[in-house]
Amino acid sequence: MKRLAVLIATLFAAGALAGAANAQQLTGTLKKIKDSGTITIGHRDTSIPFSYYDDKQQVVGYAVDICMGIVDAVKANLKMPKIDVKYNPVTSATRIPLMANGTIDLECGSTTNNLERQKQVAFTITHFVTANRYVAKKSSNIKTLNDLKGKTIVSTSGTTNIKWATEENTKRKLGMNIIAAKDHAEAFLTVDTGRAVAFFMDDILLYSLVATYRNPGEWVIGSEAYTVEPYGIMLRRDDPDFKKVVDGAVRSLYKSGRINAIYEKWFLKPIPPKGVNLNVPMSAPFKKVVANPTDSGDPKDYQ
């Protein structure tokens, strides 16, 4: 009997130690979510159709739907039937600092994954591939980058697009005056009101802005593609356990084919708030990612 009691005590102690070890294994963002019961998603307000407010002031979009799939995977991993989802608005300029300081746990928008940004944050599997172009009014008769010599252009602060424009302006001695807008809507309005001739941004965002604007027929998007922009959902660096769960969720979306329905919903059907159909079929570079998921920040891997 005494031997049995010792055995039970030993097993109990071993179980307690195992439970403590398992608790200790939970670190980083997963521990933060487990302890708080909350995950905070950073979102954009005008990045149609990726992340924006609809006419009911609800946060919606293609990237947001993918993030909801990630939240479900986190619930399953942590064995939590319920996790409160909080939304925190971000801009191009604030998204990386708010991720780094722990304010947001996922950034669900239209953020380019590149090697420079990977020094500050991490990205999950690429969920869209776009290119850097400009939009201008047809009446301006802009055809190429050289047509913008000595003129005023605009791009959004904190983006890869404004960085490229600044570097290209110096390299090619174009003499352009570059305005930094706080967001895409302000940048587009800057061209509409004549304060700038062209707005440089990812082409999918330009197509969305034109399609949902009051006078879409007055605009033209340049035929020249200047850079490749792979989009990824952003998370904190040096958090391999959380990244494993996030990447697994996105891979599951791709492998199961559920990504096709999500893509169709936002790019091939009418979307809120105006019921506009962007009619943008899945590109060959993104189809390649779906077949062979990657979180590469090297543009060459998408060409």
Side-chain angles (χ1 to χ4, degrees), residues 139-161:
S139 57
S140 67
N141 203 33
I142 300 298
K143 304 293 184 184
T144 68
L145 189 61
N146 285 333
D147 294 334
L148 292 166
K149 283 184 177 179
K151 300 184 184 299
T152 297
I153 67 161
V154 63
S155 190
T156 308
S157 176
T159 62
T160 55
N161 312 79

Side-chain angles (χ1 to χ4, degrees), residues 207-282:
Y207 287 126
S208 301
L209 285 164
V210 169
T212 55
Y213 212 58
R214 62 177 178 269
N215 50 356
E218 294 183 11
W219 299 86
V220 62
I221 294 171
S223 59
E224 296 178 331
Y226 302 110
T227 58
V228 176
E229 307 288 329
Y231 286 174
I233 288 165
M234 192 165 58
L235 52 153
R236 273 179 286 283
R237 283 190 76 217
D238 303 321
D239 195 349
D241 292 340
F242 185 54
K243 180 166 169 53
K244 183 178 179 180
V245 175
V246 173
D247 286 353
V250 178
R251 284 195 176 94
S252 177
L253 279 178
Y254 293 0
K255 186 176 181 179
S256 67
R258 285 177 289 157
I259 189 62
N260 296 318
I262 297 173
Y263 189 96
E264 184 177 335
K265 173 184 174 182
W266 293 103
F267 295 97
L268 297 170
K269 290 183 177 180
I271 61 173
K274 298 182 179 181
V276 172
N277 187 338
L278 299 178
N279 195 25
V280 179
M282 193 178 288

Side-chain angles (χ1 to χ4, degrees), residues 128-145:
F128 197 83
V129 183
T130 183
N132 178 24
R133 302 179 195 266
Y134 67 80
V135 66
K137 286 194 172 183
K138 289 179 181 178
S139 57
S140 67
N141 203 33
I142 300 298
K143 304 293 184 184
T144 68
L145 189 61

Side-chain angles (χ1 to χ4, degrees), residues 71-128:
V71 171
D72 287 340
V74 172
K75 286 180 186 176
N77 180 269
L78 295 177
K79 297 179 174 57
M80 296 176 66
K82 184 177 183 299
I83 293 177
D84 290 331
V85 178
K86 291 186 177 180
Y87 291 98
N88 194 99
V90 300
T91 66
S92 298
T94 64
R95 56 191 169 184
I96 291 178
L98 289 176
M99 176 60 68
N101 70 16
T103 300
I104 59 175
D105 302 311
L106 292 170
E107 191 267 336
C108 306
S110 49
T111 300
T112 296
N113 173 10
N114 60 32
L115 299 176
E116 184 175 342
R117 283 177 174 164
Q118 285 183 8
K119 297 174 183 176
Q120 304 176 73
V121 293
F123 291 87
T124 188
I125 306 300
T126 296
H127 64 264
F128 197 83

Side-chain angles (χ1 to χ4, degrees), residues 46 48 184-185 188 199 201 204-214:
T46 59
I48 299 172
H184 306 325
F188 197 75
F199 168 29
M201 186 42 57
I204 184 59
L205 299 179
L206 298 180
Y207 287 126
S208 301
L209 285 164
V210 169
T212 55
Y213 212 58
R214 62 177 178 269

